Amino acid sequence: MSYLPDNTPVLAEDFLLQGSKSDTLIVFAHGAGANMHHQYMTSMTDKLIAQGYQVYRFNFLYMQANMQDGKRRPPDRAPKLLAHYEQVLLDIQQKMALGLINCQRIILMGKSMGGRMSAILTSSDHQLQQPLITDVANKISAIVCLGYPFIPLKGGEPRLAPIQHNSIPMLIVQGERDKFGDLQQVPNWALGEHAEVCWIGDGDHSLQPRKSSAYTLEGNLNHAIENIRQFITRVG
């Protein structure tokens, strides 16, 4: 564990900072069931780095515990996830002070649950608990959600508050067949003028198309990356 000069602990123990220093840092949060080392996360990271972005990936605390003892735990509740997310931003601030990061803007990106936590973190419903990260938080200029989990698998109302109660530009990259919110459902919901949806052909929650379709996973990921690049350029 590392510390800031005032002995505040930085809890982002399981992270990777990859890519050359860039004016854009992408903070990439994993989904509920797969950690930051999953092939989806590494593939997307490699593609983002190829676009010239620096990428910071991290594991939430419950996933760190899963990797340490091999047991499979469910995600922590949102308050604990958000508290760790704030510690990640604190760690980023430390790395900025050390010269490891020299960004002008930060993009929060997340796969499924990670995207939802990114949206909650920056929404008007969340009050930052860590005052030391104000400068870093002020650099957050956009959010990218890869497969936003609109509807819980057990059913219920769509989770729209993190999107609706947010003023930061947001790109939602959604598979047309996503079981958490598909092409027939999402257009019926009011997301707000700051949010836009990029639909991925025949994609599921991980943007994977069916073998019988005219799409491929590689093509879908490349389509997602190109739309992310255009979005970041546009909002930057």
Side-chain angles (χ1 to χ4, degrees):
M1 183 179 295
S2 57
Y3 292 82
L4 290 178
D6 64 353
N7 289 324
T8 300
V10 175
L11 301 180
E13 295 181 339
D14 193 0
F15 71 91
L16 282 172
L17 179 63
Q18 295 175 283
S20 301
K21 284 187 284 188
S22 168
D23 62 356
T24 301
L25 175 71
I26 295 179
V27 182
F28 197 4
H30 62 76
N35 62 51
M36 73 174 188
H37 304 290
H38 187 271
Q39 184 177 355
Y40 179 96
M41 297 288 292
T42 59
S43 179
M44 289 297 287
T45 296
D46 289 344
K47 292 177 184 297
L48 291 166
I49 291 172
Q51 294 293 326
Y53 305 124
Q54 191 174 29
V55 181
Y56 182 112
R57 272 185 293 159
F58 69 95
N59 277 332
F60 287 105
L61 293 177
Y62 80 94
M63 194 61 77
Q64 293 181 29
N66 288 355
M67 294 184 66
Q68 288 171 3
D69 60 18
K71 297 180 181 179
R72 186 175 178 86
R73 297 171 178 80
D76 294 317
R77 297 187 68 82
K80 190 171 182 178
L81 295 173
L82 293 168
H84 183 68
Y85 212 145
E86 289 195 22
Q87 293 289 348
V88 165
L89 295 182
L90 189 61
D91 187 52
I92 289 171
Q93 179 166 294
Q94 182 186 39
K95 287 172 171 52
M96 291 174 65
L98 294 172
L100 300 175
I101 297 171
N102 185 25
C103 65
Q104 300 301 312
R105 58 187 173 182
I106 294 173
I107 310 297
L108 301 186
M109 178 181 296
K111 168 75 170 72
S112 190
M113 180 197 76
R116 181 171 170 244
M117 290 303 111
S118 298
I120 295 175
L121 185 74
T122 55
S123 75
S124 59
D125 295 327
H126 180 70
Q127 189 83 21
L128 291 177
Q129 301 301 306
Q130 181 53 261
L132 294 176
I133 64 173
T134 301
D135 290 344
V136 173
N138 287 338
K139 287 182 177 289
I140 299 172
S141 62
I143 302 165
V144 176
C145 302
L146 300 171
Y148 187 85
F150 285 98
I151 302 177
L153 287 181
K154 61 183 179 182
E157 294 298 313
R159 300 157 165 154
L160 301 179
I163 302 172
Q164 294 174 336
H165 302 169
N166 207 313
S167 60
I168 295 179
M170 187 179 306
L171 176 67
I172 299 171
V173 180
Q174 200 81 353
E176 292 179 346
R177 298 184 297 111
D178 194 325
K179 60 187 177 182
F180 290 90
D182 61 28
L183 185 57
Q184 283 68 50
Q185 297 169 304
V186 177
N188 297 315
W189 301 325
L191 304 182
E193 294 182 355
H194 66 289
E196 56 187 276
V197 181
C198 165
W199 290 103
I200 303 298
D202 202 58
D204 63 9
H205 193 51
S206 295
L207 310 183
Q208 174 76 58
R210 290 168 291 193
K211 291 182 179 180
S212 59
S213 77
Y215 301 93
T216 65
L217 177 59
E218 183 68 12
N220 279 356
L221 294 183
N222 287 337
H223 183 209
I225 289 292
E226 177 57 21
N227 276 270
I228 292 168
R229 184 194 66 79
Q230 292 180 13
F231 171 72
I232 292 175
T233 300
R234 189 167 64 252
V235 302

